[in-house]
Amino acid sequence: MDTPTLEHIARLGYGARGAVYCLVGGLAALAAVGSGGQTGSSTDALTSLLAQPFGRIWLGVISVGLLSFALWRLVEAATDADRHGSSAKGLAVRVGHAISGVINAGLAVSAFQLALGRRESKGGDGSAQDWTAWLLSQPFGQWLTGLVGLVLIGIGIGFLKKGWSGDVTRHLVLPAHARGWAVPVGRLGFAARGLVFALIGGFLVLAALHSRSSEAKGLGEALAFIRSQPFGWVLLGITAAGLFAFGVFSFVQARYRRIEAPDLADGKAALKTAAASLPRP
């Protein structure tokens, strides 16, 4: 697999992520104004495509794109393609990319199953409670669950900070005419994503404190929680707009992101050198 191929895979992946976020945000916005949408998980949003013309074909395309994104995230994590370095922060980013790769691979499988007509019994929220129950059942399960929740809260705060004052165009090569609208769209998108991550992390901490997996919430229930607050339809509408904006920004990334794909030939040479330096038995 050469560098141009990896670049195409990465761009296809960013586009697929954009499609998912636009679906989630669009359906949540319809729910906010009472026009028949839903506050559901990513899987629920993909399921809604089944009612659309050529829905199964779109699901198949998105599943390929999500699998591409999962592959790119894993490559990023393994090779440090974005050069985050080996500092604590850099390693944390790379671990986050690896986790993102696993999650997107799972979502790709779900989309492919839906395309084949195999509906799942549970959406993303049920899955969140299932794996939380499994984690709680492990040794030091409450501590582990709470730690995961705190990590998600930290990620959410990081996204909120990036939406407020961070450089959302750091890895982009934007033409001048796109910068005026892409930057505010990116900021709104990261802020909404940060809010959702922080909420999901908070629910996970509560699940750890009370040792009840039923308190864990996925994306859909986090959005439903926002809607249940005073003036919830306004808050949900703003959040939904932000999630849709992140989807649009993902399309911007698909087009303008600087993809620093690793040189696989150099990587193979490095592995051979390392292997040759190992002591012989």
Side-chain angles (χ1 to χ4, degrees), residues 52-148:
Q52 306 304 315
F54 308 106
R56 294 190 190 279
I57 295 176
W58 283 115
L59 281 168
V61 172
I62 290 174
S63 69
V64 173
L66 290 172
L67 192 60
S68 298
F69 191 62
L71 176 60
W72 171 243
R73 281 305 202 201
L74 293 173
V75 168
E76 276 188 305
T79 66
D80 194 18
D82 284 333
R83 295 175 174 78
H84 292 288
S86 56
S87 65
K89 181 179 179 181
L91 290 175
V93 172
R94 292 170 65 182
V95 169
H97 285 167
I99 294 172
S100 173
V102 173
I103 292 173
N104 279 280
L107 189 58
V109 171
S110 297
F112 187 66
Q113 289 176 333
L114 288 169
L116 294 178
R118 302 173 186 171
R119 290 177 178 267
E120 296 184 340
S121 59
K122 290 184 179 181
D125 297 324
S127 298
Q129 292 174 4
D130 286 345
W131 73 256
T132 301
W134 175 83
L135 192 58
L136 285 171
S137 69
Q138 305 306 305
F140 305 104
Q142 283 184 265
W143 288 98
L144 291 173
T145 303
L147 178 61
V148 173

Side-chain angles (χ1 to χ4, degrees), residues 196-271:
V196 170
F197 266 75
L199 280 175
I200 293 173
F203 286 127
L204 204 55
V205 170
L206 289 177
L209 289 174
H210 302 148
S211 192
R212 287 200 297 264
S213 62
S214 60
E215 295 197 33
K217 312 294 183 185
L219 173 60
E221 287 189 312
L223 293 175
F225 173 80
I226 293 174
R227 189 182 186 182
S228 69
Q229 303 308 302
F231 301 101
W233 69 274
V234 177
L235 297 175
L236 178 60
I238 295 172
T239 305
L243 294 175
F244 189 89
F246 189 77
V248 173
F249 191 72
S250 292
F251 289 132
V252 173
Q253 290 176 305
R255 174 63 179 86
Y256 296 113
R257 197 182 197 279
R258 186 185 300 108
I259 306 294
E260 299 181 2
D263 189 326
L264 298 186
D266 290 345
K268 291 177 181 177
L271 287 175

Side-chain angles (χ1 to χ4, degrees), residues 1-10 72 259-265:
M1 188 181 297
D2 56 16
T3 296
T5 301
L6 279 174
E7 181 176 343
H8 294 324
I9 285 174
W72 171 243
I259 306 294
E260 299 181 2
D263 189 326
L264 298 186

Side-chain angles (χ1 to χ4, degrees), residues 173-183 255-256:
V173 184
L174 279 175
H177 66 84
R179 181 171 292 273
W181 61 267
V183 171
R255 174 63 179 86
Y256 296 113

